[in-house]
Amino acid sequence: MTVPPTPFRVSWPDAPDAGPDDAPDAGHEDEAAPMRPGGSWLARRAPACAAAVVVVGVVAVVLWQLHLPLLLADTSTTGGDTGAHFMMPAFFNTHLFPHLTGWDPAWYDGYPAYSLYFVLPDVLVALAAHVISYDVAFKLGTVLGSVLLPVCAWALGRLFGLRAPVPAALAAATLPFLFDYTWTIYGGNLFSTLAGEYSYSLSDAFLLVFLGLFARGVRTGRHRGWAAVTLAACILAHIVPGALALTGALVLTVVELAPRSVRLTDDIEPIAASSVPRDAAWRGPAGRGRWPTLWWAASTVALGLLLCAWWLVPFGLRSVYSTSMNYSKVTTYVTLLFPRADLWALALAGIAVIVAVATRSRFGLVVSVLGGVSAVAMVIDPLRSLYNVRFLPLWFLFVYLMAGWVFGVAVVAGVRRVRRRRVTRWALRAAAARQVQDAGAAAEVPLVPPRVARWTPGAVGGALGALVAALVVVVPPFVPALATSLPKIGVRPGANEVSVWARWNYSGYGAKPAYPEYHGLMRLMSSIGRQHGCGRAMWEYNANENRFGTPEALMLLPYWTHGCIDSMEGLLFESSATTPYHFLNQAELSQAPSEAMVGLPYGPLTVPLGVEHLQLLGVRYFMAASPQVQEEASADPTLRLLATSGPWASTYEGQRLSTTWKVYEVARAQLVTPLADEPAVLSGVGPGQTTWLGRIGSGNVMREGPSLRWYLDPLAWHTELVSGGPPAWPRVPARRATDAPAVPVHPTSVSHVRVGTSSVSFDVGAVGRPVLVKISYFPNWHAAGALGPWRATPNLMVVVPTRHHVSLTYGTTSVTRAGDALSALGALLLVAMLIGWIVRRRREPVRIG
């Protein structure tokens, strides 16, 4: 009996791999039938499970090295800049909320809080502090970006549609990036985060999610709202990754608008049905033309910029009042971009670029371009206000992502090759068996297809991912022993000190051996504030104050004294135009000053001149620690010793210290003082520091501007120099600032001075006579009952009372109102989009079955 032919079909899950050459009978009509995934439950779930294991494993290692129990303990945070950042969200909660920017009197005679610095991380900490303790909220806020980075890298791969295990490989690639030790302050890695750059880390995480959302949305017309919100969050967290996010949006848009002949291919899965736009009118590059794609991209970026315009507009237009620290541009590009410790990752990334070009992979080429842009930006950055090495972490982030991508692609390619061989062998056997049956064989030959679903890239990748995750979890405990044994075979890895840094930071100020000295000094200043009145304090700088947890520990004077004693030195150097004058004072009043700002004409230790400068800036207290400074201070009649703290015994870097702090009161350092001469209005100056303070010339030497020349010449102090004023005031060219004429005026009397967080009020005996207010100038200050305020040397304010009661208040300007209006528009558009989405969902027919 003749056995009829048995129809058969070879199918496997990754349908894009299938082709005529893979089928046993290309002409069989069943070959056109849709292929369905098969295999066991474990094979189908392996990719997702392995990805979860990898992501959780990376996060677990990060939290383990950061000492999770310390993160959840109610201890303060110290270490590097982080120790000074610690007080900022607390001020946000007590004085700014629900407003997101405002005036902070804590540092540099006051500065615009968050107007010239990134606000989002501290907003999140402040909000979390309403639910959990402030100490824990701050710690979790500092590590949030680092913990989210592997999750966001995985999301980047998923949103691009990359095959498993590539998204998991991207997440795993963030682990060596986070622990990279070749830079420790520029941002991104854990060392930088612990040093104070936690805002950069958070922005990196948002950057990856935005790139994924934009890559998916520019093809499908969806996710506009989510992409816009993520872009705004990226910019609000840090401007450098935010700038690269905008660059990435441009690159992805160009890729989608490219002609079909050069359009890039994808090693991606077919986009799921749930991601297909519901709007049938959408016709992207694969449809009716390019305009829908261009409109989606432009509108998404515009909406994201609108949502953060309330911060971005003032930041952009008021940055002329910021201070550049004049850091020298780092030009050791080869050492920076290709460190020996990262050669393995760089080699993999180089291979990845070749693979991306050969396969025309959209993901590979876009990430390669963004990495190249980061490197080029670091090289060509003119270094006016942005330190060029801020771009370095982005270069390494994309290097590691490319290394992870090429590993995942290699796994996919290897599995495909194995599967094709297995299917081909079975197809040949099946064809031979059917020939036998067609020839009229007496017995049927059973055909059992191989279980090829077990060999999907996701399944095998899942197994490899699980192995990688296991190594991630198991290997780190043996790193110390490994680090000591590897040099014996010629390998010299860098020391991983993340765990040490984290313990130092998160154990807090109270765990430091010198804490009794620090605590005693803070209690003393609180007592002085209660007995003698609140005011500003200038403290002698010395790097050995790191014994408290950070050299910046005394910046927390306002925090520990509940806002009574402000610190002249603060963390956000660039946010105040008074910063240069403080560092000049620091050099005059410290035995071992930091001289942090490059190019200033620093002088030697000269306590009398330093005290006169303190009087100019309205500094009420001076805290001295070294015997030499105390000796000069005791001989100065302008200073009155109020109290001492110590002697305190401590150790710093193996050196035994015995420190006694002496606190002096500075005479004639009133916050509001009448002027005895008419101010002189400078001509030829603008709001920027280059025309007001001066500019850096050759050899990093400051070319003195009018304000700096005036500040360094006590003989010129009789006449205040101002940026504007009544027509009756004398005018003087900027180049002759120290030759301003003295026009005597009978000074008025000042009384009932009341100082608030963002306001000051006082009474005068006579109107029409100039008064100097020793608060840092910023355009948001407004006067009631007086003309002005005008910017006065060095960076204070002058008003002319028109009534006997004068008040100055920090408020809004046309710039801030414009930013607020744009953000309100963006919020309305976002709400309208949400409402439209809800309406469309309700109008859709209900599908049964």
Side-chain angles (χ1 to χ4, degrees), residues 341-618:
D342 292 333
L343 288 181
W344 66 273
L346 291 163
L348 283 177
I351 296 172
V353 173
I354 297 173
V355 173
V357 172
T359 60
R360 296 197 303 169
S361 165
R362 183 172 69 134
F363 177 87
L365 290 178
V366 167
V367 172
S368 299
V369 168
L370 293 180
V373 168
S374 303
V376 171
M378 189 190 74
V379 174
I380 67 174
D381 175 34
L383 198 64
R384 289 188 177 92
S385 58
L386 185 61
Y387 199 20
N388 69 319
V389 285
R390 291 293 189 190
F391 294 100
L392 184 65
L394 295 173
W395 156 259
F396 280 107
L397 176 60
F398 292 119
V399 163
Y400 280 107
L401 288 178
M402 288 298 289
W405 174 79
V406 78
F407 172 80
V409 169
V411 170
V412 172
V415 173
R416 284 176 176 172
R417 185 176 182 84
V418 171
R419 291 180 62 249
R420 285 195 178 101
R421 287 183 177 179
R422 290 173 61 87
V423 171
T424 300
R425 287 198 298 269
W426 177 79
L428 293 174
R429 291 172 54 195
R434 196 170 68 178
Q435 289 178 359
V436 172
Q437 293 175 354
D438 291 343
E444 297 182 0
V445 180
L447 299 179
V448 181
R451 302 185 67 178
V452 295
R454 292 181 176 179
W455 287 86
T456 63
V460 176
L464 292 175
L467 177 62
V468 171
L471 293 175
V472 163
V473 176
V474 173
V475 169
F478 302 99
V479 168
L482 195 63
T484 57
S485 59
L486 286 179
K488 298 177 182 179
I489 60 175
V491 179
R492 301 185 180 277
N496 180 3
E497 298 177 351
V498 166
S499 178
V500 177
W501 283 34
R503 183 175 296 279
W504 176 267
N505 280 24
Y506 298 129
S507 61
Y509 285 95
K512 304 301 176 283
Y515 179 70
E517 175 186 354
Y518 184 66
H519 181 63
L521 187 57
M522 294 301 106
R523 292 187 59 184
L524 175 63
M525 294 307 297
S526 295
S527 175
I528 287 175
R530 290 191 299 268
Q531 296 178 22
H532 300 277
C534 298
R536 300 165 183 154
M538 175 77 186
W539 41 274
E540 180 185 357
Y541 177 88
N542 195 302
N544 63 26
E545 287 156 11
N546 192 48
R547 64 186 183 273
F548 301 140
T550 169
E552 302 167 359
L554 296 182
M555 294 180 185
L556 268 66
L557 273 167
Y559 180 80
W560 302 119
T561 63
H562 305 287
C564 182
I565 305 297
D566 295 323
S567 168
M568 273 306 292
E569 182 160 348
L571 173 64
L572 306 182
F573 299 158
E574 291 89 348
S575 290
S576 174
T578 308
T579 300
Y581 312 102
H582 160 74
F583 283 111
L584 289 171
N585 297 353
Q586 186 200 81
E588 296 165 349
L589 296 168
S590 302
Q591 188 176 15
S594 64
E595 298 184 356
M597 185 172 173
V598 177
L600 291 177
Y602 295 107
L605 174 67
T606 313
V607 171
L609 180 59
V611 171
E612 291 185 63
H613 280 140
L614 295 185
Q615 291 175 313
L616 283 177
L617 296 178

Side-chain angles (χ1 to χ4, degrees), residues 51-423:
V53 170
V54 171
V55 173
V56 172
V58 174
V59 172
V61 170
V62 171
L63 291 176
W64 167 53
Q65 289 292 293
L66 292 176
H67 303 289
L68 182 60
L70 283 179
L71 292 176
L72 301 178
D74 281 324
T75 56
S76 56
T77 302
T78 184
D81 290 350
T82 310
H85 273 293
F86 176 69
M87 65 175 276
M88 294 179 60
F91 178 81
F92 182 96
N93 256 348
T94 56
H95 294 91
L96 297 183
F97 191 81
H99 302 288
L100 300 180
T101 60
W103 188 256
D104 188 352
W107 297 327
Y108 302 117
D109 280 3
Y111 72 100
Y114 299 112
S115 293
L116 301 175
Y117 193 73
F118 316 111
V119 65
L120 181 60
D122 286 354
V123 168
L124 298 179
V125 172
L127 293 176
H130 290 282
V131 181
I132 57 179
S133 71
Y134 175 75
D135 291 335
V136 175
F138 181 78
K139 293 175 184 178
L140 296 180
T142 61
V143 304
L144 179 62
S146 301
V147 171
L148 288 179
L149 192 65
V151 182
C152 295
W154 170 84
L156 171 68
R158 290 292 298 167
L159 289 167
F160 258 91
L162 302 183
R163 292 182 180 278
V166 179
L170 297 180
T174 62
L175 187 67
F177 168 78
L178 288 170
F179 285 89
D180 198 319
Y181 59 87
T182 57
W183 78 96
T184 58
I185 191 62
Y186 306 141
N189 60 356
L190 285 172
F191 288 102
S192 300
T193 297
L194 293 170
E197 289 292 336
Y198 58 89
S199 58
Y200 200 116
S201 303
L202 185 60
S203 186
D204 277 350
F206 284 122
L207 167 64
L208 298 186
V209 176
F210 169 75
L211 291 176
L213 287 170
F214 200 91
R216 175 61 64 91
V218 82
R219 288 201 156 183
T220 65
R222 292 173 62 94
H223 310 309
R224 179 185 285 109
W226 285 113
V229 170
T230 309
L231 174 61
C234 182
I235 294 173
L236 292 173
H238 203 286
I239 196 67
V240 174
L244 201 70
L246 295 173
T247 305
L250 176 63
V251 172
L252 285 165
T253 304
V254 171
V255 166
E256 291 304 313
L257 295 178
R260 290 183 178 275
S261 58
V262 297
R263 187 167 298 148
L264 305 181
T265 59
D266 275 309
D267 53 349
I268 64 174
E269 299 170 326
I271 297 176
S274 60
S275 68
V276 176
R278 299 182 183 276
D279 184 1
W282 169 263
R283 295 291 185 273
R288 68 183 182 192
R290 301 177 180 179
W291 287 112
T293 296
L294 186 59
W295 165 247
W296 186 94
S299 60
T300 300
V301 171
L303 181 58
L305 294 177
L306 285 175
L307 292 174
C308 64
W310 61 269
W311 177 85
L312 189 59
V313 170
F315 176 82
L317 297 181
R318 297 304 191 198
S319 60
V320 293
Y321 292 98
S322 64
T323 293
S324 171
M325 298 303 288
N326 300 326
Y327 296 138
S328 300
K329 184 173 181 177
V330 182
T331 57
T332 54
Y333 304 126
V334 175
T335 303
L336 287 172
L337 297 173
F338 305 99
R340 179 177 297 181
D342 292 333
L343 288 181
W344 66 273
L346 291 163
L348 283 177
I351 296 172
V353 173
I354 297 173
V355 173
V357 172
T359 60
R360 296 197 303 169
S361 165
R362 183 172 69 134
F363 177 87
L365 290 178
V366 167
V367 172
S368 299
V369 168
L370 293 180
V373 168
S374 303
V376 171
M378 189 190 74
V379 174
I380 67 174
D381 175 34
L383 198 64
R384 289 188 177 92
S385 58
L386 185 61
Y387 199 20
N388 69 319
V389 285
R390 291 293 189 190
F391 294 100
L392 184 65
L394 295 173
W395 156 259
F396 280 107
L397 176 60
F398 292 119
V399 163
Y400 280 107
L401 288 178
M402 288 298 289
W405 174 79
V406 78
F407 172 80
V409 169
V411 170
V412 172
V415 173
R416 284 176 176 172
R417 185 176 182 84
V418 171
R419 291 180 62 249
R420 285 195 178 101
R421 287 183 177 179
R422 290 173 61 87
V423 171

Side-chain angles (χ1 to χ4, degrees), residues 656-674:
R656 294 183 178 273
L657 304 175
S658 179
T659 309
T660 298
W661 288 88
K662 293 186 177 182
V663 183
Y664 302 86
E665 184 176 24
V666 181
R668 301 183 301 279
Q670 295 85 354
L671 192 65
V672 181
T673 58

Side-chain angles (χ1 to χ4, degrees), residues 609 613 707-718 738-739:
L609 180 59
H613 280 140
S707 179
L708 183 57
R709 288 199 301 272
W710 180 93
Y711 194 72
L712 297 174
D713 185 3
L715 297 178
W717 294 351
H718 59 84
T738 55
D739 299 331

